[in-house]
Amino acid sequence: KNEVEQSPQNLTAQEGEFITINCSYSVGISALHWLQQHPGGGIVSLFMLSSGKKKHGRLIATINIQEKHSSLHITASHPRDSAVYICAVSNTDKLIFGTGTRLQVFP
Amino acid sequence: DGGITQSPKYLFRKEGQNVTLSCEQNLNHDAMYWYRQDPGQGLRLIYYSQIVNDFQKGDIAEGYSVSREKKESFPLTVTSAQKNPTAFYLCASSPGGSNYGYTFGSGTRLTVV
């Protein structure tokens, strides 16, 4: 079993829909990261959080430390949100990555 | 603007040849990392360095080597001993420690033929 599990693996949505991507982990962590990978391959860091909730524009990330679970929400989704979203956790001095959720938003 | 530069973006090599991937950062970050990405798998750590002139093996270091002679540079050599080198390679950096964010490069796609 992977230490970081994401669901769903693939997600399609119509423009404007509310999207949720989930991440569960089984190890102790100091922080959880949400990353975005576009088709070109480069990765952008969206959020780093260790408790509660963070919001940036249409993106919201929450974490429940007791349940070892985090969610990434996208409100009013847009085709430019199409990407792979990756959850990663900081464990000691390393990152442990989930396998990613591929999101496609259609107009 | 500060960031990480990986070059080249695409690289082709013949089997049995060593190849070096470049990673340069101007963020003044102490820690640098190399990851490998294969289809359907999460990124896996190859090597990391927390300070100049020091580095540690990650989870899949066999067949790879690194150096950290300068703070801003962390090149990765894929040697002929790496059995399956075709992959997407990502470099990252952070100020150091587990409570800081990471900055990623744009990656190098290596194809060995």
Side-chain angles (χ1 to χ4, degrees):
Chain A
K1 190 178 187 297
N2 292 336
E3 292 168 308
V4 180
E5 298 270 4
Q6 285 185 239
S7 64
Q9 283 189 307
N10 295 283
L11 186 54
T12 58
Q14 288 294 124
E15 184 172 355
E17 284 186 10
F18 181 85
I19 287 162
T20 296
I21 299 170
N22 295 300
C23 175
S24 297
Y25 54 92
S26 57
V27 295
I29 69 169
S30 52
L32 184 141
H33 305 255
W34 280 103
L35 312 169
Q36 181 190 56
Q37 185 172 33
H38 277 281
I43 288 179
V44 173
S45 180
L46 299 174
F47 294 103
M48 184 180 80
L49 62 165
S50 54
S51 65
K53 176 178 170 178
K54 286 190 176 180
K55 185 175 188 292
H56 186 253
R58 295 179 294 107
L59 302 178
I60 303 166
T62 64
I63 188 168
N64 185 318
I65 297 293
Q66 286 72 32
E67 294 186 4
K68 294 190 173 181
H69 180 270
S70 174
S71 293
L72 176 68
H73 305 286
I74 304 176
T75 62
S77 59
H78 189 276
R80 65 173 174 267
D81 296 326
S82 298
V84 175
Y85 292 84
I86 300 171
C87 172
V89 298
S90 297
N91 177 265
T92 61
D93 53 0
K94 302 179 202 173
L95 285 178
I96 305 172
F97 294 84
T99 54
T101 295
R102 184 174 299 277
L103 170 66
Q104 289 184 292
V105 181
F106 295 99
Chain B
D1 283 340
I4 292 185
T5 302
Q6 285 189 247
S7 59
K9 191 166 179 63
Y10 299 97
L11 189 54
F12 295 87
R13 277 295 181 269
K14 289 186 178 178
E15 197 171 334
Q17 288 182 334
N18 290 357
V19 60
T20 298
L21 282 58
S22 169
C23 177
E24 304 276 331
Q25 54 102 356
N26 60 1
L27 300 163
N28 199 34
H29 284 173
D30 285 319
M32 297 186 74
Y33 308 81
W34 273 106
Y35 296 95
R36 171 181 171 137
Q37 188 176 39
D38 294 285
Q41 295 191 42
L43 279 77
R44 292 181 290 167
L45 181 64
I46 305 172
Y47 267 98
Y48 64 106
S49 167
Q50 293 176 304
I51 197 166
V52 174
N53 292 323
D54 189 37
F55 48 83
Q56 288 77 40
K57 292 182 180 180
D59 301 317
I60 55 165
E62 186 175 347
Y64 299 98
S65 66
V66 293
S67 63
R68 186 89 187 274
E69 297 175 3
K70 297 186 293 182
K71 188 175 187 177
E72 58 270 23
S73 179
F74 191 41
L76 174 74
T77 297
V78 185
T79 75
S80 56
Q82 167 49 234
K83 292 188 173 69
N84 186 18
T86 294
F88 187 65
Y89 292 88
L90 274 158
C91 179
S93 72
S94 78
S98 58
N99 290 330
Y100 292 95
Y102 290 72
T103 302
F104 290 84
S106 55
T108 293
R109 188 165 299 280
L110 172 65
T111 302
V112 175
V113 296

